[in-house]
Every structure is written in C-alpha cells, then in structure tokens.
Amino acid sequence: MRTLLSRTWPAVLLGLLLRQTPSSGDEGGCLRAADILSCAGLGLDRPPADAPAWAAVLDLSHNRLTALRAGTFQGLPRLRSVRLAHNRLTAILPGAFRNSSGALLRHLDLSSNKLRAVEVAPFRDLPGLEELLLFDNLLATVERDAVAALAGLRRLYLGHNRLADFPFRAVREHPELVLLDLSWNRLPRLAPEDLTSLPVRLQRALYLHGNPLVCDCDAYRMLRLWELRGYPAVSDFLRDYTCLMYGARGLAVRFLPDFPQLCDSAAVAPQSGEVTVNAGVPALLHCSTALTGEHVTFFWVSPQHEYVAAPGNNGSLSVFANGSLRIAAARAEDSGVYWCMARDAAGRRNETQEVNVTVVTQHAGRDHDTFSTGLTTLLGCAVSLILVLAYLYLPPCRRPPAANEAGSESARSSAAEGPGRDRHVVFVEPPGKRQNGRPRVGGALEGHVGPASLLEPEAHQTQPALVLP
C-alpha cells in the first residue's frame, strides 16, 4: 500500500494542480476579494471570457497577453482599475475599452510591456481616466492629440522609454494634468520656452531626470530656478540631472551643482588658458583641477568635438596620467577650444577647464616677412627721394680750390653758373692721353677752364661727363 501511494502521489498532485490552473479564457483560477478579480501570474494569453460583471478592479498583470482587441472588456460596466503590467502587449486596437465602464475607469496600468507608440484611437473611450501608466515600454512616439483626448487625465507616466521628443505644447492647455514623468528617455534638449509656458502645477511635477541632455545654459538656469522654488521633480533627483558636453557619452556632468561653472557668472569660473604654438611643433596642455588622488581620471574634448581619453588616439593626441594633453605636431585645424574634465572614482565630482589653442602657421610667418620687406623698401625709396631733392635744390658748400687742383694735368673743369645754383662739370680722361677738345681760354691762365668756357669737339667723342657737386 505504501509503495502504491508513493508511486501514485506525484500523479495525484499534478492532477490537482492542473485542475487549479485555468485554461485560456477561463476565470476559474482567479482570486476574488470583494469587488477585486485578480488573475495575475496565471499564464493567460487573453483576458478571461467569463469575468463577473461586478468586478471593479481587474488584475491581469504578469501574464502573456500580446494585444487588446475590440470588445476585450465588454460586459464589465463597473471597472475602475485595470492592471496589465508585465505582459507582452504590442498593440491596443481601437474599441478595446468600448462597452465597458468607460467614464468610470480611473486607473490603467500598461507598464512593462512592448508598446511602441501612444495613439489617440485606443483611449477615446476613456474620458474619465485619471492615471495612465506606460513606463518601461518601447515607446518612441506620442501622438500630439493622444494626451488631449484624455480630458480627465491627471497623472501620466512615460518614464524608461525611447522618447526623443514630446509634444509639450499639446499639454499646455490640458485642464487637469498635474504630473508628467518623462524620466530616463532619450530627450537630447530641453526648450525652456516650451517648459516655462506650462502651468505651474505641472512644472512642479515634470520629471526630466535621466535623459542624455546636451549641456545648455538656458536649460541649466531653468532647472536651477525650479530647484530654488523647491519643485520635487528637480530637488528630489538632483544627482540624476546630468548633461553631456558636446553630446559626447562619457563626458557627463551633473547639471546641479557642477554645470554652473560654465554658465553662472556668479559661480566660480573655470580656470582658462591661452596657448600659442607654431605649426609642426608639439604642444602640451595642462588640466588644472582641485581633484586629487590616484583614482582621478581625465577626459578631453577637442575643437572637432572628439572625445579623447588615456592613452589618446592614433598618436596625434595623447593623454597622460596627470591629465595633460599632448598634441604631437600642431596643425592649423588643431586651433580652437579644448575642454578638460576631471572625475573621481565614484563619478560624483566633476571639474572643467577651457584651454584656447592658437596654431601659427608658416604661411602666416611668410606674410609677416613680406610685409616687413615691403616696408623697408618703401622707407629706402623715401630716403633716396629726399637725398635727390636735397641735391637738386640745396646750394653746395663753397670752399677755395687748392693750388694743385688748378694745374692738374689729368682734369679740366668747367663751371656754369645759373641763377640760384652752381654746377661743376669735370671731364676725366685716361692717364697718358691729351684731353679731347681744345679749350677756348677765357681766363688769365692757359689750361684753366673758367666759368662759361666751351669745348670744341673733335672727331672722337670724349668720355662721359660726371656731374660732381
């Protein structure tokens, strides 16, 4: 007998379990408590077909539902709350909530499913819905009028999705919305002109933390104002409000309190520097920071928005253990603003520094040399012109001729006087030859060429005349 019981016990137990497990559409395995019908975790692939009409709370979470088709909840006129979290829903078709409680339904939980869009059509039959949970889905779009169609909606949870945009202007005039959760999505920017125009009641509970926001001073000032006003959506999640320098992942800084260093003139300004380097010459940029310790890591962002961490990239840029950045051979395109960031091991502290690099190219140096040479030439021409004018218009210095000059055999002079100036002409002949031409002596001494003397040319022309002062 004992052997028989030991052999048949597993089969009996399995049979009992199978009897307690409902088939698809069967309500037999659900739990009932007052007006609550809980069918959670039963492996259902569709809602029970014989759900009682008195059910006000229907829990279908942790099942295998893939879609809500038209008429899914018909015959349930008292529903106030439907929980469909942790299923496999990919679609909610129009008319899914038709012929149900309609305006009585207040709470709808669709979290942790596989929905990709929030559309208008499925929610038109729920004018009284106050709380809609859609977090932890695959949502990439929200139709502009989807939220407006839910006129009674007060709380909308869209966190942990893939939203890169949201129609904030569509909820600006919403009469009831007091909470909007967009945390941990993919929003890259915040438009202050859209957010500050929202009702104050919604600004207080607009959750935007956890998004990969690009660092922006206007967004920082808006979040800072909300923090000072004590809005819980900001003050309770300060650590999760981060932004990315130039949009580069890995270069995240906290909006509050680190980002004021770049925006708020009243805050401590980051240390900045100006570096000038010749083209082709290595340059070393230092990252000054108050962070200390062997676990401090450094990151740089180049003017081309290139993220550079130790040890560097392809040899053109190198990052050392102390945070210094080395430019192997400076080029013209290396000019611009470099950002240095230091972060401790826990990632809780960040500091930034700006270094402005100017690369002087050789072409620029040649232009400078050309300009200098041209200026020198211009000055030389001006001096020469002054000397020529002085020679032409200034009277020469007079001195009595020396005795040996009067009887020189190698030179004869002729002076012509004119009004306001004296000119002396000397004809030079080669040594050992007689002077070309016969002078007509007008002076007392033969061989002396005096004023107004003329020379008679012979067959051969004389040597060129030199004009001497």
Side-chain angles (χ1 to χ4, degrees):
M1 181 64 68
R2 290 183 178 178
T3 303
L4 181 61
L5 290 176
S6 62
R7 291 179 179 179
T8 58
W9 168 249
V12 173
L13 180 59
L14 179 60
L16 292 175
L17 291 175
L18 291 175
R19 290 185 61 185
Q20 294 297 323
T21 303
S23 60
S24 298
D26 185 9
E27 181 261 325
C30 302
L31 296 177
R32 304 184 183 190
D35 58 354
I36 299 175
L37 179 64
S38 177
C39 303
L42 297 180
L44 302 178
D45 56 11
R46 63 177 182 270
D50 54 350
W54 47 259
V57 177
L58 178 59
D59 186 359
L60 296 172
S61 58
H62 295 276
N63 280 290
R64 300 176 183 176
L65 280 66
T66 58
L68 298 180
R69 297 174 174 80
T72 297
F73 299 101
Q74 64 181 357
L76 299 173
R78 299 183 181 181
L79 280 181
R80 298 193 310 271
S81 175
V82 175
R83 301 171 184 174
L84 293 161
H86 295 280
N87 275 275
R88 303 174 185 178
L89 294 175
T90 59
I92 303 177
L93 302 179
F97 298 96
R98 192 174 303 156
N99 299 324
S100 63
S101 60
L104 294 179
L105 189 65
R106 298 288 187 266
H107 173 87
L108 178 58
D109 186 357
L110 296 168
S111 63
S112 300
N113 279 281
K114 300 181 182 300
L115 300 173
R116 296 182 179 274
V118 180
E119 301 174 342
V120 178
F123 301 108
R124 285 177 176 169
D125 300 319
L126 301 174
L129 190 65
E130 296 181 354
E131 190 171 59
L132 177 59
L133 281 64
L134 285 165
F135 63 86
D136 191 25
N137 273 272
L138 304 176
L139 297 177
T141 58
V142 176
E143 288 189 2
R144 180 179 180 85
D145 297 329
V147 181
L150 299 170
L153 191 65
R154 295 180 57 83
R155 295 176 178 84
L156 176 60
Y157 297 87
L158 295 169
H160 293 274
N161 278 287
R162 301 178 180 181
L163 297 174
D165 190 18
F166 184 82
F168 288 103
R169 297 184 180 182
V171 301
R172 183 184 301 172
E173 304 297 331
H174 198 283
E176 300 292 338
L177 195 63
V178 296
L179 185 148
L180 177 58
D181 179 15
L182 292 169
S183 61
W184 302 104
N185 273 277
R186 299 179 180 179
L187 299 176
R189 295 187 181 276
L190 301 179
E193 60 273 15
D194 291 337
L195 302 184
T196 55
S197 63
L198 297 176
V200 175
R201 69 174 188 274
L202 185 55
Q203 293 181 30
R204 293 179 59 87
L206 179 57
Y207 294 86
L208 297 167
H209 59 278
N211 282 281
L213 303 172
V214 176
C215 293
D216 179 80
C217 292
D218 291 336
Y220 155 71
R221 295 187 182 98
M222 179 189 66
L223 293 175
R224 175 61 174 165
L225 177 62
W226 289 356
E227 180 199 11
L228 294 175
R229 291 179 177 176
Y231 292 176
V234 176
S235 59
D236 292 347
F237 296 92
L238 289 180
R239 292 175 55 85
D240 294 323
Y241 277 96
T242 61
C243 65
L244 306 180
M245 298 295 297
Y246 299 108
R249 293 190 177 276
L251 292 181
V253 297
R254 290 202 304 269
F255 256 124
L256 305 167
D258 293 338
F259 196 64
Q261 296 182 8
L262 306 179
C263 294
D264 193 353
S265 59
V268 179
Q271 298 183 14
S272 60
E274 298 286 338
V275 175
T276 301
V277 59
N278 293 326
V281 177
L284 188 64
L285 311 181
H286 298 288
C287 185
S288 301
T289 176
L291 299 180
T292 58
E294 60 181 358
H295 299 296
V296 176
T297 55
F298 298 90
F299 308 90
W300 287 83
V301 178
S302 71
Q304 290 75 32
H305 298 177
E306 180 183 5
Y307 167 71
V308 185
N313 59 341
N314 299 327
S316 61
L317 297 175
S318 303
V319 178
F320 298 105
N322 64 352
S324 297
L325 176 71
R326 182 180 185 271
I327 303 175
R331 303 166 298 173
E333 53 267 30
D334 292 328
S335 297
V337 176
Y338 290 76
W339 284 96
C340 169
M341 303 185 66
R343 186 168 58 189
D344 63 7
R348 291 189 298 265
R349 297 178 61 191
N350 294 272
E351 294 191 4
T352 58
Q353 181 194 2
E354 175 183 348
V355 182
N356 189 13
V357 176
T358 302
V359 178
V360 179
T361 62
Q362 295 180 356
H363 180 71
R366 288 197 299 269
D367 291 344
H368 178 72
D369 294 341
T370 302
F371 174 76
S372 300
T373 303
L375 180 61
T376 304
T377 304
L378 180 61
L379 291 177
C381 293
V383 172
S384 300
L385 180 61
I386 293 174
L387 292 177
V388 171
L389 294 176
Y391 161 71
L392 292 176
Y393 294 101
L394 293 180
C397 297
R398 298 180 179 274
R399 63 183 180 87
N404 58 350
E405 293 179 355
S408 175
E409 292 292 332
S410 62
R412 298 289 185 267
S413 64
S414 174
E417 294 184 351
R421 64 176 180 176
D422 293 334
R423 293 176 61 85
H424 301 276
V425 181
V426 177
F427 294 90
V428 181
E429 63 176 339
K433 293 184 180 181
R434 60 187 298 271
Q435 182 174 340
N436 293 331
R438 179 184 299 171
R440 294 178 180 178
V441 180
L445 299 176
E446 184 180 357
H448 175 72
V449 181
S453 299
L454 297 178
L455 295 177
E456 293 180 355
E458 294 183 348
H460 300 283
Q461 192 67 24
T462 64
Q463 295 291 328
L466 299 180
V467 181
L468 300 178

